[in-house]
Amino acid sequence: MAEDTAGVLAHLEAPLRADGFAFVPAGAMRALLGQQAVADWASFAASWNRLGLDRYMADGGRYRRRRHATFAISAGGIRRKKHQPHYQSRDYNELNGGIERWFRAIEPEMGSHPALLAILRLMHRIVTDLSDPASQPDVWHTEVHQFRIEALENSPGQPTPEGLHRDGVDWVMVIMVRRENVMSGETSIHDLQRTLLGGFMLDQPLDTAVVNDNRVYHGVTAVRPLDPGRPAYRDVLVVTFRHQ
């Protein structure tokens, strides 16, 4: 890793060690991923136009679209797993947890897109650096979610409809892909006693949040359209790592 990139990574990992979360602005994220990885970011971002409706929303909402994939990631490389359901216990997701949720699979060409592979390699480097070597798995179970949250004038979109929460994994990375005609969508981070630790806005493409899910809660405020007459949505990529 180049010396300047190593410095950017160290700057990211320091608050993760100290506080359990870090905000990574787009410029730093671009440097970490490398120009080759993000050269065709436009085609990667365009795939968010082809997501399927999330029909598992217990609040009755029809504002969320998504695709999903799972990977096995180790020092030996990245392997996509057979398509499988997403599951969270109700201990972590009181709204939608407790059942297997089958979502459309991430398209094959997006699952092997240079941008996604670079993101997965970066996240593996981070969790390798910050996890206790004695308990670190040989292979991480990794889930990748493409989310689009849509907002209407009288029906705001809820990025985290379950409220302030943990995901029931070890590490979470959230990458902004696109904000179109929306206001708000502010991220807040809280400790295990639910005391506010900090907050920020994922605003520009590649603005990123990384959290240690064992140490902090996170949540995102509802998004509303700036111009009710135009489509309004918030697109993010969420990557989680947990022990197999």
Side-chain angles (χ1 to χ4, degrees):
M1 179 177 287
E3 182 176 351
D4 56 342
T5 305
V8 175
L9 183 62
H11 190 67
L12 181 166
E13 291 181 349
L16 267 174
R17 284 193 176 93
D19 306 317
F21 74 98
F23 167 70
V24 189
M29 193 65 175
R30 191 173 290 107
L32 289 168
L33 296 176
Q35 185 55 41
Q36 184 176 357
V38 297
D40 194 20
W41 179 259
S43 71
F44 187 56
S47 69
W48 267 253
N49 295 322
R50 302 187 294 273
L51 307 187
L53 183 66
D54 184 342
R55 300 182 182 277
Y56 292 93
M57 300 298 294
D59 64 358
R62 291 294 181 265
Y63 52 80
R64 185 158 75 177
R65 298 181 180 275
R66 65 194 295 179
R67 284 184 185 265
H68 172 246
T70 57
F71 295 82
I73 301 182
S74 68
I78 299 169
R79 176 180 62 82
R80 185 166 181 173
K81 295 183 177 182
K82 181 179 179 181
H83 192 51
Q84 58 188 266
H86 175 56
Y87 180 84
Q88 290 174 295
S89 76
R90 292 185 63 84
D91 292 336
Y92 291 99
N93 190 332
E94 292 184 2
L95 179 67
N96 297 316
I99 61 170
E100 292 186 344
R101 289 179 283 164
W102 287 91
F103 302 111
R104 287 188 183 180
I106 290 176
E107 297 164 322
E109 59 272 26
M110 294 303 112
S112 59
H113 193 284
L116 180 61
L117 295 181
I119 289 165
L120 296 179
R121 285 192 292 267
L122 173 62
M123 188 62 167
H124 183 254
R125 172 64 186 270
I126 293 168
V127 304
T128 299
D129 288 349
L130 298 184
S131 298
D132 179 3
S135 60
Q136 190 167 152
D138 293 331
V139 181
W140 291 92
H141 175 74
T142 301
E143 298 195 41
V144 177
H145 307 261
Q146 293 179 291
F147 284 106
R148 168 168 288 182
I149 303 299
E150 299 174 331
L152 301 173
E153 181 177 13
N154 298 315
S155 180
Q158 301 285 348
T160 55
E162 63 273 43
L164 193 64
H165 68 286
R166 293 158 62 206
D167 286 337
V169 295
D170 293 298
W171 301 93
V172 183
M173 176 180 279
V174 184
I175 302 172
M176 174 54 60
V177 175
R178 183 178 180 182
R179 290 170 57 96
E180 178 64 29
N181 186 37
V182 292
M183 67 179 82
S184 195
E186 298 165 350
T187 299
S188 63
I189 307 293
H190 301 245
D191 67 17
L192 296 183
Q193 289 70 49
R194 298 180 179 255
T195 300
L196 179 66
L197 297 177
F200 45 84
M201 176 82 80
L202 299 181
D203 183 39
Q204 299 300 314
L206 287 172
D207 278 354
T208 297
V210 185
V211 302
N212 182 333
D213 197 57
N214 295 302
R215 292 179 57 188
V216 298
Y217 288 87
H218 63 280
V220 183
T221 59
V223 292
R224 294 173 170 80
L226 290 166
D227 178 355
R230 294 194 295 115
Y233 51 86
R234 177 182 187 266
D235 291 349
V236 299
L237 178 75
V238 176
V239 177
T240 65
F241 273 56
R242 69 168 172 81
H243 287 65
Q244 287 272 40

